Amino acid sequence: MIKEFKCCLFGFGLIGVSVGFFGLSSEVSAQASHLFRTYKHEVPQKLPETQEAVAAGKKVYEKRCWYCHGIEGRGDGPASKTMFPKPRNFTRNEYKVRSTTFGSVPTDEDLFRIVTSGIEGTAMPFWYTISETERWQVLYYVKTFNEQFKTETSPKVVSVVSVVSTPDSVQRGAELFKEFKCFECHGDDARGNGPLTVALQTEWGMPYRARDLTKAWNFKGGNAGEDIYRTISTGFNETPMGSYLEKMSDEDRWHVAHYVKSLAKDMMSDVVVKVKLVEGEELPTEPSDEAWNKATPMELPLAGQILVSPRQWTQSIDAIRVRALYNSNDIAFLLEWDDSTNKQEDVFRDAVSVQFPTKIPESLKKPYFAMGDSSGAVNLWSWKAYWKEGFGAIVEAPETEPGTVSELNAKGVKNITVQPPESQNVTGKGVYQNGRWKVVFKRSLQTEDAKNDLQFEIGKLIPIAFAIWDGSNSDVAGLKSVSSWYYVILEKPVPKTVFIYVLFAIIMGASIEVWFIARLRRFPPKLEEEQE
Amino acid sequence: MAKKRSPYLLVKVIFAVVCLFLFLKYAAPKVFQVLMAKEHLMPTPSTLMMWYMIMGVLAGLVYATTSNQKFADFLGFLLPEKGAMVKSFIRKMLFFAFPVIIGWFVYTWSIPGAASPVELRIQHPTLPQEFEKMENPFRNTDAETQRKCIEEGKILFQTNCRPCHGSKADGNGPFANSFRLRPINFQDPGTIATVVDNYLFWRIKEGGPGLPSEATPWDSAMPAWKDDLKDDEVWKIIMGEYDTAGVMPRQREKTE
């Protein structure tokens, strides 16, 4: 009995361990699924800063770094023209991610961390792929571009200890976010759309953008609580993001850091947009309708359009969120994306388009994902923000103006046709609120123009792709953000027959089991010794 | 030889099968991620999983039938026994679980699913004839010219190719995550190190749209650079690309 008990305990222990492992592994997969690479804090033993190290660093720099940062460290390398944010100009003290006070130069360790981890949301890659020695050497060389490193040998360091977040702290942080007017740049909903950020845009030598704090994948210098606390404390040199070291108590800075951390969300990416059936109800036409909550949202990343000239190397919109519903007649999409302004200028208008093949593909073959090709036509639903007649003026799209919706076909970028008025079946509208565009598209599942319009079918995987234009980023025509082909599926409701199958299977299973046990009891397995 | 009885053999076998399942489902993706140094998990393909599970169950049964006594123990667990509370509890659980698991299987098979489709493609289609004969005009020049070509090529690579293929030619550029067909990692020994210069020339010139249909041209985000880059520039980019990635092109076999 004791042995049995032991054995059983052992079994439960193992089950416990495996359940624990299950929990652990699912957490690991959640971390791996987002795009963010962690900002590595550990720094190994420093290499002595000698003349030889600097000379060796020059070699590394001129092999790997100068293409972006420039041969003289001015951030004007030949590759810098295809990037935004621009590479760091090492001759000025515009170092952003530092543990030192505002205006000071970073410590060697800070530079080491940046070289090792890279900077998210920028072109700066991680360099842990080169040896630690090389990393120390190259940063010693980079320091020679700026005299301030010589005069300021021991900058004051702000120490960061870890403080655990609590709901109260997040709550207090939200209040402080208002009190200290963080929203003036970062916006009420922290989407980087505050009035100041928009107003100050052209005053600086280079445009800057306040961080969209809801996008966890774009935090410079890490998105952990300690990283956010460090940024609030030390600020970003040469940007309006100042230091709050003197202005806020240590405790308050932690509150704000916890609040900001609570806002930062990972991209919930997937491959298939699942369209929910709403039976016997009208589909929502307003972007802010509660009914949209019934649909599962899916987010997907966007890249600049770099396939054909002119190319958009410096795209400003990097994600779109999609939700969709259908009923027996219609299908409706809600598309949302963060845009720091709704400014429109001349031809540069905020816009979005959804792309489908004109027919659901029978095989693997699809039209080319960027506007189709001669062998595969696409059907496009386009929405453009309001534009008042006039030239050169900058206007904000008013909230009451729904924008213009049109339906197009394309067989390649040079072969785009707007469908004639009698074939325009898509309706929709857009609303701009707190740094986010919300656009609704609605169409009947089937149309009369079956040659040029996609005909939706329930339960089939239909390719879908997206493009977004940001007027304030001078996006127009080919200058846009694009996605790859994804899929959309109109979810089949679970048929009632499934439950009959399941019930039948359970009864069958139970019957076989009972029969087997009954047989086993009648003819129990016996060993020869026992029979004697 | 003293016979050792193992009254819990059935439970042990079931436990082993469950462990195998948990390993394949949750631990293996992580293990292979580490072993193969990938940045993402490596989930076990579902068909492979099914075969491993079938083999696991069979192995369990084979083990249970290696001797008459083992088999008697194996089945004997299902027989009622007086006074064995724990045993009787586990037995009841098993009786209950069996039909439920069958029901669950039937349910998951028969509900309409929305799994993403299998998108098979050939990564290295055959080099078209017209590119076969071409030769990189800078490969057999003197060292100084070569060095200059590599440097010019690196500048062009960093300007035009870096946004997707990355500064290190490791397929980790800022746009890399945004294309479902990820940009190729040229440092990977299975990519440009296995082909000749001409192959890259073809790929850069014709891009995604120039691929044959077995390589799914409609999903490729590789631009066709024939309108934007001159032949010389492309050859230089190729040299700069190999240099940045730190690999060498495949050498043509001497046929004489």
Side-chain angles (χ1 to χ4, degrees):
Chain A
M1 187 69 200
I2 289 170
K3 196 175 166 237
E4 272 181 16
F5 187 70
K6 253 187 181 167
C7 190
C8 204
L9 211 66
F10 175 70
F12 280 121
L14 274 183
I15 290 169
V17 169
S18 57
V19 166
F21 191 78
F22 163 78
L24 192 80
S25 64
S26 68
E27 196 189 9
V28 167
S29 70
Q31 272 180 0
S33 66
H34 46 93
L35 314 172
F36 198 87
R37 291 181 287 257
T38 42
Y39 182 66
K40 295 181 178 66
H41 293 256
E42 314 76 40
V43 177
Q45 183 61 43
K46 221 163 144 176
L47 192 82
E49 192 172 356
T50 58
Q51 281 301 321
E52 292 75 46
V54 172
K58 188 172 191 291
K59 285 214 182 79
V60 178
Y61 185 86
E62 287 174 5
K63 187 176 177 210
R64 304 183 190 275
C65 317
W66 83 272
Y67 302 98
C68 301
H69 291 288
I71 202 79
E72 289 168 330
R74 290 181 199 282
D76 58 354
S80 67
K81 66 173 181 242
T82 51
M83 51 180 79
F84 185 88
K86 292 290 174 200
R88 183 69 47 252
N89 179 343
F90 294 131
T91 63
R92 294 214 305 253
N93 178 13
E94 52 183 25
Y95 289 97
K96 290 191 169 69
V97 183
R98 311 174 327 277
S99 61
T100 60
T101 50
F102 195 66
S104 305
V105 289
T107 63
D108 294 352
E109 287 77 10
D110 288 337
L111 292 171
F112 189 91
R113 289 185 194 107
I114 286 296
V115 174
T116 303
S117 308
I119 303 183
E120 288 304 317
T122 80
M124 176 69 186
F126 54 84
W127 287 104
Y128 62 74
T129 45
I130 62 172
S131 73
E132 283 167 7
T133 313
E134 279 184 295
R135 278 177 264 164
W136 285 117
Q137 286 166 343
V138 78
L139 75 88
Y140 292 148
Y141 178 65
V142 162
K143 282 167 73 182
T144 62
F145 290 124
N146 189 340
E147 289 295 306
Q148 205 180 331
F149 279 106
K150 290 196 187 95
T151 51
E152 209 180 297
T153 45
S154 54
K156 193 166 167 262
V157 172
V158 179
S159 62
V160 182
V161 287
S162 191
V163 173
V164 180
S165 178
T166 61
D168 285 343
S169 176
V170 171
Q171 179 63 35
R172 180 77 192 115
E175 288 163 26
L176 289 162
F177 195 82
K178 284 201 182 70
E179 256 174 63
F180 282 83
K181 297 195 168 32
C182 304
F183 62 88
E184 286 195 337
C185 290
H186 290 286
D188 290 335
D189 291 343
R191 294 186 188 127
N193 62 313
L196 264 186
T197 215
V198 176
L200 282 172
Q201 213 155 21
T202 53
E203 204 178 298
W204 294 69
M206 269 182 223
Y208 68 86
R209 297 184 182 120
R211 190 57 49 221
D212 183 337
L213 301 174
T214 62
K215 292 181 176 176
W217 59 90
N218 273 343
F219 278 54
K220 287 176 175 169
N223 65 6
E226 296 84 53
D227 299 322
I228 299 165
Y229 168 87
R230 184 202 56 235
T231 300
I232 296 166
S233 303
T234 66
F236 282 167
N237 284 352
E238 284 206 32
T239 76
M241 178 64 207
S243 157
Y244 288 82
L245 193 62
E246 311 288 319
K247 295 174 200 149
M248 253 189 230
S249 72
D250 182 60
E251 209 178 317
D252 284 355
R253 273 177 279 135
W254 273 111
H255 293 323
V256 177
H258 290 148
Y259 172 62
V260 171
K261 177 73 190 166
S262 76
L263 297 171
K265 298 284 186 299
D266 295 320
M267 200 182 285
M268 299 303 285
S269 204
D270 199 344
V271 177
V272 183
V273 180
K274 295 174 184 85
V275 190
K276 264 243 154 57
L277 172 68
V278 283
E279 261 166 312
E281 270 177 68
E282 274 300 299
L283 295 181
T285 50
E286 287 298 319
S288 47
D289 200 309
E290 290 280 312
W292 289 112
N293 293 333
K294 287 179 202 159
T296 334
M298 177 183 127
E299 242 174 341
L300 50 98
L302 302 174
Q305 187 286 114
I306 43 85
L307 297 146
V308 285
S309 194
R311 298 186 163 84
Q312 178 52 283
W313 303 107
T314 57
Q315 117 262 34
S316 59
I317 311 292
D318 64 356
I320 183 171
R321 203 151 87 115
V322 190
R323 271 184 272 198
L325 297 167
Y326 80 102
N327 61 18
S328 48
N329 300 317
D330 300 316
I331 183 165
F333 288 88
L334 174 67
L335 310 175
E336 298 168 274
W337 69 96
D338 290 5
D339 184 348
S340 58
T341 108
N342 58 339
K343 274 189 181 155
Q344 316 289 312
E345 188 183 345
D346 198 17
V347 294
F348 306 116
R349 290 159 69 176
D350 289 350
V352 65
S353 86
V354 188
Q355 175 184 287
F356 306 98
T358 45
K359 278 194 178 53
I360 300 176
E362 296 295 329
S363 62
L364 266 181
K365 189 182 176 343
K366 292 174 247 179
Y368 186 42
F369 81 97
M371 311 285 282
D373 51 21
S374 52
S375 67
V378 293
N379 183 199
L380 298 148
W381 302 358
S382 146
W383 171 90
K384 275 184 179 179
Y386 166 79
W387 168 245
K388 199 170 60 187
E389 293 303 314
F391 189 78
I394 298 174
V395 291
E396 282 183 18
E399 276 183 25
T400 48
E401 179 63 47
T404 31
V405 173
S406 54
E407 212 182 329
L408 304 93
N409 283 102
K411 282 186 142 193
V413 285
K414 287 181 184 129
N415 191 354
I416 306 168
T417 43
V418 183
Q419 293 189 358
E422 64 273 18
S423 270
Q424 295 283 342
N425 315 102
V426 181
T427 57
K429 74 179 286 186
V431 167
Y432 183 80
Q433 272 168 348
N434 287 338
R436 177 172 287 175
W437 274 111
K438 293 182 174 197
V439 172
V440 172
F441 282 118
K442 191 177 155 192
R443 209 203 72 180
S444 52
L445 293 172
Q446 307 292 326
T447 66
E448 285 173 10
D449 189 5
K451 189 172 168 285
N452 294 315
D453 293 348
L454 172 81
Q455 308 296 310
F456 286 94
E457 284 177 51
I458 294 163
K460 280 206 173 168
L461 285 164
I462 303 166
I464 187 171
F466 303 89
I468 290 179
W469 290 259
D470 179 8
S472 56
N473 194 39
S474 302
D475 281 357
V476 65
L479 298 171
K480 58 183 174 181
S481 302
V482 294
S483 82
S484 302
W485 275 127
Y486 284 77
Y487 291 94
V488 59
I489 190 167
L490 278 64
E491 282 187 319
K492 269 185 186 161
V494 177
K496 300 270 181 319
T497 50
V498 166
F499 297 103
I500 297 172
Y501 293 151
V502 170
L503 199 68
F504 187 68
I506 290 177
I507 293 169
M508 281 287 284
S511 317
I512 292 171
E513 193 178 43
V514 167
W515 172 81
F516 183 75
I517 300 292
R519 217 184 136 71
L520 201 64
R521 284 195 189 187
R522 269 182 70 190
F523 309 103
K526 282 217 167 70
L527 287 172
E528 278 139 35
E529 305 93 286
E530 284 172 22
Q531 282 170 335
E532 283 161 15
Chain B
M1 202 176 83
K3 292 268 163 75
K4 225 179 93 198
R5 303 295 305 256
S6 54
Y8 281 96
L9 187 60
L10 179 68
V11 179
K12 281 177 190 162
V13 168
I14 291 173
F15 181 72
V17 170
V18 169
C19 278
L20 177 69
F21 175 79
L22 290 176
F23 175 78
L24 291 174
K25 184 92 184 162
Y26 301 105
K30 184 75 196 155
V31 169
F32 284 101
Q33 180 191 10
V34 174
L35 282 181
M36 301 177 79
K38 298 277 183 190
E39 283 204 3
H40 50 84
L41 292 174
M42 303 279 291
T44 317
S46 58
T47 43
L48 199 62
M49 186 117 173
M50 190 182 79
W51 283 110
Y52 278 137
M53 289 312 295
I54 289 174
M55 284 199 283
V57 172
L58 285 180
L61 290 178
V62 166
Y63 176 73
T65 50
T66 43
S67 75
N68 283 343
Q69 193 210 313
K70 277 217 180 76
F71 191 54
D73 286 341
F74 185 70
L75 292 176
F77 183 81
L78 296 170
L79 293 172
E81 193 181 328
K82 282 203 180 71
M85 287 279 284
V86 180
K87 241 180 159 178
S88 136
F89 175 73
I90 297 175
R91 198 157 43 230
K92 275 177 190 145
M93 293 291 283
L94 283 179
F95 289 160
F96 180 71
F98 180 70
V100 168
I101 287 172
I102 288 185
W104 182 75
F105 267 122
V106 170
Y107 178 75
T108 48
W109 282 335
S110 51
I111 52 162
S116 38
V118 188
E119 291 167 319
L120 296 172
R121 70 189 293 268
I122 290 170
Q123 198 184 322
H124 285 156
T126 321
L127 178 65
Q129 284 258 297
E130 62 262 44
F131 292 92
E132 192 80 57
K133 291 270 148 59
M134 291 185 157
E135 208 154 321
N136 188 339
F138 307 115
R139 273 285 179 215
N140 295 317
T141 51
D142 58 287
E144 178 59 18
T145 324
Q146 283 209 27
R147 200 192 55 78
K148 257 178 77 181
C149 288
I150 289 176
E151 195 54 34
E152 276 172 52
K154 279 171 94 174
I155 291 173
L156 287 164
F157 179 87
Q158 293 290 341
T159 313
N160 296 305
C161 318
R162 175 203 52 81
C164 299
H165 292 287
S167 302
K168 292 168 280 179
D170 61 351
N172 270 329
F175 290 162
N177 288 323
S178 305
F179 291 115
R180 280 189 52 222
L181 213 54
R182 264 188 92 88
I184 302 286
N185 169 4
F186 299 133
Q187 293 183 1
D188 184 330
T191 61
I192 58 170
T194 63
V195 293
V196 289
D197 271 358
N198 305 22
Y199 198 92
L200 273 73
F201 188 83
W202 170 50
R203 294 309 327 123
I204 296 170
K205 276 289 200 185
E206 301 293 330
L211 287 166
S213 59
E214 63 266 27
T216 64
W218 44 83
D219 281 331
S220 168
M222 178 70 195
W225 288 96
K226 57 184 169 198
D227 300 331
D228 302 282
L229 293 171
K230 294 189 215 62
D231 284 7
D232 280 3
E233 290 178 313
V234 174
W235 289 121
K236 285 173 186 168
I237 287 179
I238 293 168
M239 295 171 81
E241 181 179 325
Y242 275 110
D243 191 77
T244 310
V247 293
M248 295 293 283
R250 206 186 86 195
Q251 296 304 312
R252 287 176 179 280
E253 289 106 35
K254 297 269 184 298
T255 43
E256 288 107 311

